[in-house]
Amino acid sequence: MFDYPLRDTSICLGVDGIYYLTGTTGSPDWWAVTGDIQIWKSPDLVDWTPLLTEPRRRSIVWNVDREGTWQKPIQLRDGAPFRPLWAPELHYLKGTYWLTYSIPRLGNGLLRSISGLPEGPYADNISVDSPLSPYIDASLFQDEDGQVYFLCDNGKIARMNEDMTALVEELQLLKPANAEHVGFEGTFLFKANGLYHLAGADFVDGDYHCFVASSEHIYGPYGDRYLAIPHGGHNTFFQDKSGQWWSTFFGNNDSAPFKERPAALRIEFDSDLRIKPMGNGGDKYG
């Protein structure tokens, strides 16, 4: 078990065959003043160790106070200092590693590893000294033609330019046929079995779930949203070395035996190409 507090789990299979994990840190107050992006690594999705950078930094690959600019302002929330860093995701695109993240009330950032290595160092890749968008949560998707898209918030999407320094169109909302959005946060997009699968996180009766809607075209129309990963809110999907698809998740309720610890489970596609968790003891926890 990965015994370190973490939410919004993201796992990326690196070009070197190693799995890299990141997510929201800052326990016990996830809404306070944080600012670290940390990464762990594993050869097998079971044994995880910090991705060492410099001796004193350990798994920290980027920090707002040390390396930020527009990200630094501290605001107040209910009278308390407020500047968390939420939901970083690691992606390998265009020969290097990228980190998306959000600073609530300020916006989304995008970092590029200038070394081509997962440990960085990372530099701000946005062409202007400002957020890429004013929303929460952020992700990237590269289509089969090489085009990269930026996603955020509740299902918003826009194409990026070639060097990924800016958006080349206005953000637009991808909407399921039966709902205003796929989820109110935690948007993630991937392609499998010829379909684009749009995921999002939403609460139903107090439980935090992952919902998905699918389409033959990236801009839609998308079909009905459905419950894909119960209690799996704000997750990502990835393939392992054998091509098996997985969903990340984290213990997000008080009854979870691994509360606020990262985890992953194998998924499958049913006859309608809908996502569902695999049974038969297929889980592996980080």
Side-chain angles (χ1 to χ4, degrees), residues 24-284:
T24 302
T25 57
S27 178
D29 190 347
W30 306 96
W31 289 265
V33 177
T34 59
D36 288 337
I37 298 179
Q38 301 186 53
I39 298 178
W40 290 262
K41 64 180 181 179
S42 171
D44 55 11
L45 293 174
V46 177
D47 298 314
W48 295 90
T49 58
L51 178 63
L52 299 180
T53 52
E54 297 174 3
R56 288 176 298 173
R57 290 166 61 184
R58 292 182 59 76
S59 59
I60 299 172
V61 298
W62 192 82
N63 174 268
V64 167
D65 294 303
R66 184 180 62 236
E67 294 149 310
T69 53
W70 61 264
Q71 306 94 337
K72 289 185 176 181
I74 296 174
Q75 304 181 53
L76 293 179
R77 178 178 179 271
D78 298 330
F82 176 84
R83 195 212 56 200
L85 187 154
W86 284 350
E89 287 185 9
L90 184 69
H91 298 264
Y92 185 81
L93 306 170
K94 297 178 179 284
T96 192
Y97 291 89
W98 305 79
L99 280 163
T100 57
Y101 64 95
S102 66
I103 308 287
R105 298 184 182 173
L106 296 179
N108 302 129
L110 176 62
L111 305 172
R112 173 179 57 88
S113 171
I114 60 177
S115 69
L117 301 173
E119 60 265 32
Y122 285 86
D124 199 325
N125 201 63
I126 304 172
S127 58
V128 294
D129 188 20
S130 62
L132 196 55
S133 88
Y135 302 104
I136 64 166
D137 300 336
S139 187
L140 298 173
F141 170 72
Q142 186 173 34
D143 210 344
E144 293 166 343
D145 62 1
Q147 176 64 58
V148 177
Y149 297 81
F150 173 78
L151 297 107
C152 62
D153 204 43
N154 61 344
K156 297 179 176 68
I157 189 172
R159 287 187 297 115
M160 302 197 75
N161 60 7
E162 181 64 25
D163 58 8
M164 296 172 59
T165 57
L167 307 181
V168 297
E169 61 183 358
E170 294 294 321
L171 287 161
Q172 59 181 287
L173 180 64
L174 303 178
K175 295 177 60 175
N178 62 342
E180 287 300 308
H181 50 231
V182 68
F184 79 96
E185 64 180 9
T187 296
F188 188 83
L189 181 69
F190 72 102
K191 191 173 186 180
N193 300 314
L195 294 178
Y196 296 91
H197 301 280
L198 178 70
D202 217 337
F203 283 100
V204 175
D205 298 327
D207 292 323
Y208 194 46
H209 300 304
C210 165
F211 291 88
V212 169
S214 303
S215 174
E216 294 181 355
H217 307 284
I218 191 166
Y219 288 113
Y222 281 81
D224 289 350
R225 86 165 190 171
Y226 62 92
L227 178 59
I229 311 295
H231 304 282
H234 205 144
N235 59 317
T236 65
F237 295 88
F238 68 96
Q239 284 179 287
D240 65 18
K241 300 172 192 178
S242 67
Q244 169 67 51
W245 280 102
W246 293 72
S247 169
T248 67
F249 67 105
F250 68 96
N252 60 42
N253 57 58
D254 290 336
S255 62
F258 48 93
K259 183 181 179 182
E260 294 176 340
R261 298 298 191 273
L265 57 86
R266 291 187 293 173
I267 63 167
E268 59 185 350
F269 297 85
D270 66 17
S271 59
D272 295 319
L273 299 183
R274 288 191 169 195
I275 297 164
K276 63 179 183 179
M278 291 182 67
N280 302 318
D283 298 351
K284 282 189 179 178

